[in-house]
Amino acid sequence: MLQNTFCHIPGIGPATEKKLWEAGVTSWDQWQEPAPVRLPNSSRNEIISLLENSDEALDTDPSFFTERLASHEVWRIFPQYRHQTAYIDIETTGLAEDADLTTIALYDGAEVKYYVNGRNLDDFLNDIWNYKVLVSYNGKSFDIPFLERYFKITLDHAQIDLRYVLARLGFKGGLKGCEKMLGIDRGGLEGVDGYFAVLLWREYKSYNDESALETLLAYNIEDTVNLEQLMIEAYNRNISQTPFAKELKLPHALAPPLPFQADLTCVERIKRRYTL
């Protein structure tokens, strides 16, 4: 899809892009001079230069495109860089800037990795640089700034924040709300949310309760693994609105085996303790 994309060029939005496709300009190498449609805000030289730069960036620089695409249009880069993509989600002790980081889950489509405060958080710093694209839900506003602040680093990866991509498709209500609307079942983790994740960490730290930590990790990892399903669903729904739907649609991914399962006894105990 990326080589069929013209929306990263100033002056070309989805409506103009559609007109280009209808006029037979369906990929960068089919660009015509003069352009077959009116381009009021783009100069000829700028377009040609940007298309040349796009071709150069195609294999190595996803940020070239995400910096130029609207937040709800960055789904377009996904297939090109899928092999360099990490799905990521964090859990914390709260939303304030002085909140602590508790766990991180990372999934790259093949392997689940997880990091726990007090055990192996620093391993995240070794692993994250193996990827060029980060997929999250609300990560641009929360997860990524939190990680940058916590570790005192800059994560200069290209980002696909599904909050914006899904909202444009009509799916809102947070990650769990989007999952429900798209038929994703959380099983034993149904009803567990971000606030409950804080209580799970508190239970683990206060009582050295490994079942609470494992339930927290199960929740964190489920959030992360589900991002792949949401990413593919969002991509396919968007691609279905283009002339390339038949050849570029992606198959659904198989969920990986999960290293942890929610302890329902632990969940009920915490609900009673905090009268939830």
Short mmCIF file of all heavy atoms in Angstrom, two decimals, residues 196-238:
data_model
loop_
_atom_site.label_atom_id
_atom_site.label_comp_id
_atom_site.label_asym_id
_atom_site.label_seq_id
_atom_site.Cartn_x
_atom_site.Cartn_y
_atom_site.Cartn_z
N PHE A 196 -7.52 -1.61 37.79
CA PHE A 196 -7.33 -2.92 38.41
C PHE A 196 -5.87 -3.36 38.28
O PHE A 196 -5.33 -4.02 39.18
CB PHE A 196 -8.25 -3.96 37.76
CG PHE A 196 -8.51 -5.15 38.63
CD1 PHE A 196 -9.60 -5.19 39.47
CD2 PHE A 196 -7.64 -6.24 38.62
CE1 PHE A 196 -9.84 -6.29 40.29
CE2 PHE A 196 -7.87 -7.34 39.41
CZ PHE A 196 -8.97 -7.36 40.26
N ALA A 197 -5.21 -2.98 37.19
CA ALA A 197 -3.80 -3.31 37.02
C ALA A 197 -2.95 -2.66 38.12
O ALA A 197 -1.97 -3.24 38.60
CB ALA A 197 -3.32 -2.85 35.64
N VAL A 198 -3.33 -1.45 38.52
CA VAL A 198 -2.64 -0.79 39.63
C VAL A 198 -2.81 -1.59 40.92
O VAL A 198 -1.87 -1.79 41.69
CB VAL A 198 -3.17 0.65 39.81
CG1 VAL A 198 -2.57 1.30 41.05
CG2 VAL A 198 -2.87 1.50 38.57
N LEU A 199 -4.03 -2.09 41.14
CA LEU A 199 -4.30 -2.88 42.34
C LEU A 199 -3.56 -4.21 42.32
O LEU A 199 -3.10 -4.70 43.36
CB LEU A 199 -5.80 -3.12 42.48
CG LEU A 199 -6.68 -1.87 42.61
CD1 LEU A 199 -8.14 -2.28 42.75
CD2 LEU A 199 -6.24 -1.01 43.79
N LEU A 200 -3.41 -4.80 41.15
CA LEU A 200 -2.66 -6.04 41.04
C LEU A 200 -1.20 -5.83 41.43
O LEU A 200 -0.61 -6.65 42.14
CB LEU A 200 -2.74 -6.58 39.60
CG LEU A 200 -4.07 -7.24 39.21
CD1 LEU A 200 -4.15 -7.41 37.69
CD2 LEU A 200 -4.23 -8.59 39.90
N TRP A 201 -0.62 -4.74 40.98
CA TRP A 201 0.77 -4.44 41.35
C TRP A 201 0.87 -4.18 42.86
O TRP A 201 1.82 -4.64 43.52
CB TRP A 201 1.27 -3.23 40.56
CG TRP A 201 2.70 -2.87 40.89
CD1 TRP A 201 3.14 -1.84 41.68
CD2 TRP A 201 3.87 -3.56 40.44
NE1 TRP A 201 4.50 -1.83 41.74
CE2 TRP A 201 4.98 -2.88 40.99
CE3 TRP A 201 4.10 -4.67 39.64
CZ2 TRP A 201 6.31 -3.28 40.75
CZ3 TRP A 201 5.41 -5.07 39.40
CH2 TRP A 201 6.49 -4.38 39.96
N ARG A 202 -0.10 -3.47 43.39
CA ARG A 202 -0.10 -3.18 44.83
C ARG A 202 -0.19 -4.49 45.62
O ARG A 202 0.50 -4.66 46.64
CB ARG A 202 -1.27 -2.26 45.17
CG ARG A 202 -1.29 -1.76 46.61
CD ARG A 202 -2.50 -0.87 46.85
NE ARG A 202 -2.52 0.29 45.94
CZ ARG A 202 -3.53 1.14 45.85
NH1 ARG A 202 -4.64 0.94 46.58
NH2 ARG A 202 -3.48 2.16 45.02
N GLU A 203 -1.01 -5.40 45.16
CA GLU A 203 -1.16 -6.70 45.83
C GLU A 203 0.16 -7.49 45.78
O GLU A 203 0.58 -8.10 46.76
CB GLU A 203 -2.27 -7.51 45.13
CG GLU A 203 -2.69 -8.75 45.86
CD GLU A 203 -3.68 -8.49 46.99
OE1 GLU A 203 -4.01 -7.30 47.24
OE2 GLU A 203 -4.13 -9.47 47.62
N TYR A 204 0.79 -7.44 44.63
CA TYR A 204 2.08 -8.13 44.47
C TYR A 204 3.14 -7.55 45.40
O TYR A 204 3.86 -8.29 46.10
CB TYR A 204 2.54 -8.02 43.01
CG TYR A 204 4.00 -8.27 42.80
CD1 TYR A 204 4.57 -9.52 43.07
CD2 TYR A 204 4.84 -7.25 42.33
CE1 TYR A 204 5.93 -9.74 42.88
CE2 TYR A 204 6.19 -7.47 42.13
CZ TYR A 204 6.73 -8.71 42.41
OH TYR A 204 8.08 -8.91 42.22
N LYS A 205 3.23 -6.23 45.45
CA LYS A 205 4.27 -5.59 46.27
C LYS A 205 3.97 -5.70 47.77
O LYS A 205 4.88 -5.88 48.59
CB LYS A 205 4.40 -4.12 45.87
CG LYS A 205 4.94 -3.89 44.47
CD LYS A 205 6.35 -4.42 44.29
CE LYS A 205 7.37 -3.53 44.99
NZ LYS A 205 8.76 -4.00 44.74
N SER A 206 2.71 -5.59 48.15
CA SER A 206 2.34 -5.60 49.56
C SER A 206 2.40 -6.99 50.18
O SER A 206 2.77 -7.15 51.35
CB SER A 206 0.93 -5.03 49.75
OG SER A 206 0.86 -3.70 49.30
N TYR A 207 2.07 -8.01 49.39
CA TYR A 207 1.94 -9.36 49.94
C TYR A 207 2.87 -10.37 49.26
O TYR A 207 2.75 -11.57 49.51
CB TYR A 207 0.49 -9.83 49.83
CG TYR A 207 -0.48 -8.91 50.52
CD1 TYR A 207 -1.22 -7.98 49.77
CD2 TYR A 207 -0.64 -8.93 51.90
CE1 TYR A 207 -2.11 -7.12 50.39
CE2 TYR A 207 -1.52 -8.07 52.53
CZ TYR A 207 -2.25 -7.17 51.77
OH TYR A 207 -3.14 -6.30 52.40
N ASN A 208 3.77 -9.87 48.41
CA ASN A 208 4.66 -10.76 47.65
C ASN A 208 3.85 -11.84 46.93
O ASN A 208 4.22 -13.02 46.91
CB ASN A 208 5.71 -11.39 48.58
CG ASN A 208 6.86 -11.99 47.80
OD1 ASN A 208 7.18 -11.54 46.70
ND2 ASN A 208 7.48 -13.03 48.35
N ASP A 209 2.76 -11.42 46.34
CA ASP A 209 1.79 -12.34 45.74
C ASP A 209 2.14 -12.55 44.26
O ASP A 209 1.83 -11.70 43.41
CB ASP A 209 0.39 -11.76 45.89
CG ASP A 209 -0.70 -12.71 45.43
OD1 ASP A 209 -0.39 -13.67 44.71
OD2 ASP A 209 -1.87 -12.48 45.79
N GLU A 210 2.76 -13.66 43.95
CA GLU A 210 3.15 -13.94 42.58
C GLU A 210 1.95 -14.12 41.67
O GLU A 210 2.00 -13.82 40.47
CB GLU A 210 4.02 -15.20 42.53
CG GLU A 210 5.44 -14.99 43.03
CD GLU A 210 6.25 -14.07 42.12
OE1 GLU A 210 6.13 -14.17 40.89
OE2 GLU A 210 7.01 -13.23 42.66
N SER A 211 0.83 -14.59 42.21
CA SER A 211 -0.36 -14.75 41.37
C SER A 211 -0.87 -13.40 40.90
O SER A 211 -1.41 -13.28 39.79
CB SER A 211 -1.46 -15.51 42.13
OG SER A 211 -1.98 -14.74 43.20
N ALA A 212 -0.71 -12.37 41.73
CA ALA A 212 -1.11 -11.02 41.32
C ALA A 212 -0.21 -10.51 40.21
O ALA A 212 -0.68 -9.90 39.24
CB ALA A 212 -1.07 -10.07 42.51
N LEU A 213 1.10 -10.75 40.34
CA LEU A 213 2.03 -10.33 39.29
C LEU A 213 1.74 -11.07 37.99
O LEU A 213 1.73 -10.47 36.91
CB LEU A 213 3.48 -10.57 39.73
CG LEU A 213 4.54 -10.23 38.68
CD1 LEU A 213 4.46 -8.76 38.26
CD2 LEU A 213 5.94 -10.59 39.19
N GLU A 214 1.51 -12.37 38.07
CA GLU A 214 1.24 -13.14 36.86
C GLU A 214 -0.06 -12.71 36.20
O GLU A 214 -0.17 -12.67 34.97
CB GLU A 214 1.22 -14.63 37.19
CG GLU A 214 2.60 -15.17 37.56
CD GLU A 214 2.62 -16.67 37.73
OE1 GLU A 214 1.59 -17.32 37.44
OE2 GLU A 214 3.66 -17.20 38.16
N THR A 215 -1.05 -12.34 37.00
CA THR A 215 -2.31 -11.84 36.44
C THR A 215 -2.09 -10.49 35.78
O THR A 215 -2.65 -10.21 34.70
CB THR A 215 -3.38 -11.75 37.54
OG1 THR A 215 -3.58 -13.04 38.11
CG2 THR A 215 -4.71 -11.25 36.97
N LEU A 216 -1.28 -9.65 36.40
CA LEU A 216 -0.94 -8.36 35.81
C LEU A 216 -0.23 -8.56 34.48
O LEU A 216 -0.54 -7.89 33.48
CB LEU A 216 -0.07 -7.55 36.76
CG LEU A 216 0.50 -6.23 36.22
CD1 LEU A 216 -0.61 -5.28 35.81
CD2 LEU A 216 1.41 -5.58 37.26
N LEU A 217 0.73 -9.47 34.43
CA LEU A 217 1.45 -9.73 33.19
C LEU A 217 0.52 -10.32 32.12
O LEU A 217 0.62 -9.98 30.94
CB LEU A 217 2.62 -10.67 33.45
CG LEU A 217 3.82 -10.03 34.18
CD1 LEU A 217 4.80 -11.09 34.66
CD2 LEU A 217 4.52 -9.02 33.26
N ALA A 218 -0.39 -11.19 32.56
CA ALA A 218 -1.37 -11.74 31.61
C ALA A 218 -2.19 -10.61 30.98
O ALA A 218 -2.43 -10.60 29.76
CB ALA A 218 -2.28 -12.74 32.32
N TYR A 219 -2.60 -9.66 31.80
CA TYR A 219 -3.39 -8.52 31.34
C TYR A 219 -2.56 -7.64 30.39
O TYR A 219 -3.02 -7.27 29.30
CB TYR A 219 -3.85 -7.71 32.55
CG TYR A 219 -4.46 -6.37 32.23
CD1 TYR A 219 -5.74 -6.28 31.70
CD2 TYR A 219 -3.74 -5.20 32.45
CE1 TYR A 219 -6.29 -5.04 31.40
CE2 TYR A 219 -4.29 -3.96 32.16
CZ TYR A 219 -5.56 -3.89 31.63
OH TYR A 219 -6.10 -2.66 31.33
N ASN A 220 -1.34 -7.32 30.80
CA ASN A 220 -0.46 -6.46 30.01
C ASN A 220 -0.14 -7.11 28.66
O ASN A 220 -0.18 -6.46 27.60
CB ASN A 220 0.82 -6.21 30.81
CG ASN A 220 1.72 -5.14 30.24
OD1 ASN A 220 2.84 -4.97 30.71
ND2 ASN A 220 1.28 -4.41 29.25
N ILE A 221 0.16 -8.40 28.69
CA ILE A 221 0.50 -9.10 27.46
C ILE A 221 -0.72 -9.23 26.55
O ILE A 221 -0.61 -9.09 25.32
CB ILE A 221 1.11 -10.48 27.79
CG1 ILE A 221 2.50 -10.29 28.43
CG2 ILE A 221 1.21 -11.36 26.55
CD1 ILE A 221 3.08 -11.53 29.06
N GLU A 222 -1.88 -9.48 27.13
CA GLU A 222 -3.11 -9.56 26.32
C GLU A 222 -3.36 -8.24 25.61
O GLU A 222 -3.71 -8.22 24.41
CB GLU A 222 -4.30 -9.90 27.20
CG GLU A 222 -5.61 -10.03 26.45
CD GLU A 222 -6.03 -11.46 26.22
OE1 GLU A 222 -5.57 -12.34 26.94
OE2 GLU A 222 -6.83 -11.68 25.30
N ASP A 223 -3.19 -7.13 26.30
CA ASP A 223 -3.30 -5.82 25.66
C ASP A 223 -2.40 -5.74 24.44
O ASP A 223 -2.79 -5.25 23.37
CB ASP A 223 -2.88 -4.72 26.64
CG ASP A 223 -4.01 -4.26 27.54
OD1 ASP A 223 -5.13 -4.79 27.44
OD2 ASP A 223 -3.78 -3.35 28.37
N THR A 224 -1.17 -6.19 24.61
CA THR A 224 -0.15 -6.05 23.58
C THR A 224 -0.39 -6.97 22.40
O THR A 224 -0.33 -6.55 21.24
CB THR A 224 1.24 -6.31 24.19
OG1 THR A 224 1.39 -5.51 25.37
CG2 THR A 224 2.34 -5.98 23.22
N VAL A 225 -0.68 -8.22 22.67
CA VAL A 225 -0.92 -9.20 21.60
C VAL A 225 -2.17 -8.81 20.80
O VAL A 225 -2.19 -8.95 19.56
CB VAL A 225 -1.05 -10.61 22.20
CG1 VAL A 225 -1.60 -11.59 21.18
CG2 VAL A 225 0.30 -11.08 22.73
N ASN A 226 -3.18 -8.29 21.47
CA ASN A 226 -4.41 -7.89 20.77
C ASN A 226 -4.17 -6.73 19.81
O ASN A 226 -4.95 -6.53 18.87
CB ASN A 226 -5.49 -7.51 21.78
CG ASN A 226 -6.10 -8.72 22.45
OD1 ASN A 226 -5.81 -9.86 22.08
ND2 ASN A 226 -6.94 -8.50 23.45
N LEU A 227 -3.11 -5.97 20.04
CA LEU A 227 -2.81 -4.86 19.13
C LEU A 227 -2.55 -5.35 17.72
O LEU A 227 -2.88 -4.65 16.75
CB LEU A 227 -1.59 -4.07 19.64
CG LEU A 227 -1.80 -3.23 20.90
CD1 LEU A 227 -0.47 -2.66 21.38
CD2 LEU A 227 -2.80 -2.10 20.66
N GLU A 228 -1.97 -6.54 17.58
CA GLU A 228 -1.74 -7.06 16.23
C GLU A 228 -3.07 -7.32 15.53
O GLU A 228 -3.24 -6.98 14.35
CB GLU A 228 -0.91 -8.33 16.27
CG GLU A 228 -0.61 -8.85 14.86
CD GLU A 228 0.17 -10.15 14.85
OE1 GLU A 228 -0.12 -11.03 15.68
OE2 GLU A 228 1.06 -10.27 13.99
N GLN A 229 -4.02 -7.94 16.25
CA GLN A 229 -5.34 -8.18 15.65
C GLN A 229 -6.00 -6.87 15.25
O GLN A 229 -6.60 -6.76 14.17
CB GLN A 229 -6.23 -8.92 16.65
CG GLN A 229 -5.78 -10.33 17.00
CD GLN A 229 -6.79 -11.01 17.89
OE1 GLN A 229 -7.96 -11.15 17.53
NE2 GLN A 229 -6.37 -11.42 19.08
N LEU A 230 -5.91 -5.88 16.13
CA LEU A 230 -6.52 -4.58 15.84
C LEU A 230 -5.83 -3.90 14.67
O LEU A 230 -6.49 -3.25 13.84
CB LEU A 230 -6.48 -3.70 17.08
CG LEU A 230 -7.36 -4.14 18.25
CD1 LEU A 230 -7.06 -3.29 19.48
CD2 LEU A 230 -8.83 -4.03 17.89
N MET A 231 -4.51 -4.03 14.60
CA MET A 231 -3.76 -3.41 13.51
C MET A 231 -4.18 -4.01 12.17
O MET A 231 -4.44 -3.29 11.20
CB MET A 231 -2.26 -3.62 13.75
CG MET A 231 -1.35 -3.04 12.67
SD MET A 231 -1.24 -1.24 12.67
CE MET A 231 -2.17 -0.84 11.18
N ILE A 232 -4.27 -5.32 12.11
CA ILE A 232 -4.66 -5.98 10.86
C ILE A 232 -6.10 -5.64 10.49
O ILE A 232 -6.41 -5.38 9.32
CB ILE A 232 -4.46 -7.50 10.98
CG1 ILE A 232 -2.96 -7.81 11.09
CG2 ILE A 232 -5.07 -8.23 9.78
CD1 ILE A 232 -2.64 -9.25 11.42
N GLU A 233 -6.98 -5.62 11.49
CA GLU A 233 -8.38 -5.28 11.23
C GLU A 233 -8.49 -3.85 10.70
O GLU A 233 -9.23 -3.59 9.73
CB GLU A 233 -9.19 -5.44 12.50
CG GLU A 233 -10.68 -5.24 12.33
CD GLU A 233 -11.35 -6.33 11.53
OE1 GLU A 233 -10.86 -7.48 11.55
OE2 GLU A 233 -12.37 -6.04 10.87
N ALA A 234 -7.78 -2.93 11.32
CA ALA A 234 -7.82 -1.53 10.87
C ALA A 234 -7.25 -1.40 9.47
O ALA A 234 -7.81 -0.68 8.62
CB ALA A 234 -7.04 -0.65 11.85
N TYR A 235 -6.15 -2.08 9.21
CA TYR A 235 -5.55 -2.03 7.88
C TYR A 235 -6.52 -2.57 6.83
O TYR A 235 -6.75 -1.93 5.79
CB TYR A 235 -4.24 -2.83 7.86
CG TYR A 235 -3.66 -2.95 6.48
CD1 TYR A 235 -2.86 -1.93 5.95
CD2 TYR A 235 -3.94 -4.05 5.67
CE1 TYR A 235 -2.34 -2.03 4.67
CE2 TYR A 235 -3.43 -4.14 4.39
CZ TYR A 235 -2.63 -3.14 3.89
OH TYR A 235 -2.13 -3.22 2.62
N ASN A 236 -7.11 -3.73 7.10
CA ASN A 236 -8.02 -4.33 6.11
C ASN A 236 -9.26 -3.50 5.88
O ASN A 236 -9.76 -3.41 4.74
CB ASN A 236 -8.40 -5.74 6.56
CG ASN A 236 -7.29 -6.75 6.31
OD1 ASN A 236 -6.40 -6.52 5.50
ND2 ASN A 236 -7.35 -7.87 7.02
N ARG A 237 -9.78 -2.87 6.93
CA ARG A 237 -10.95 -2.02 6.74
C ARG A 237 -10.61 -0.79 5.91
O ARG A 237 -11.41 -0.32 5.10
CB ARG A 237 -11.54 -1.62 8.10
CG ARG A 237 -12.30 -2.76 8.77
CD ARG A 237 -12.77 -2.40 10.17
NE ARG A 237 -13.45 -3.52 10.78
CZ ARG A 237 -14.78 -3.66 10.89
NH1 ARG A 237 -15.57 -2.71 10.41
NH2 ARG A 237 -15.30 -4.72 11.47
N ASN A 238 -9.43 -0.26 6.11
CA ASN A 238 -8.99 0.88 5.31
C ASN A 238 -8.70 0.48 3.86
O ASN A 238 -9.07 1.18 2.92
CB ASN A 238 -7.76 1.54 5.93
CG ASN A 238 -8.11 2.53 7.02
OD1 ASN A 238 -8.78 3.54 6.77
ND2 ASN A 238 -7.68 2.27 8.24
#
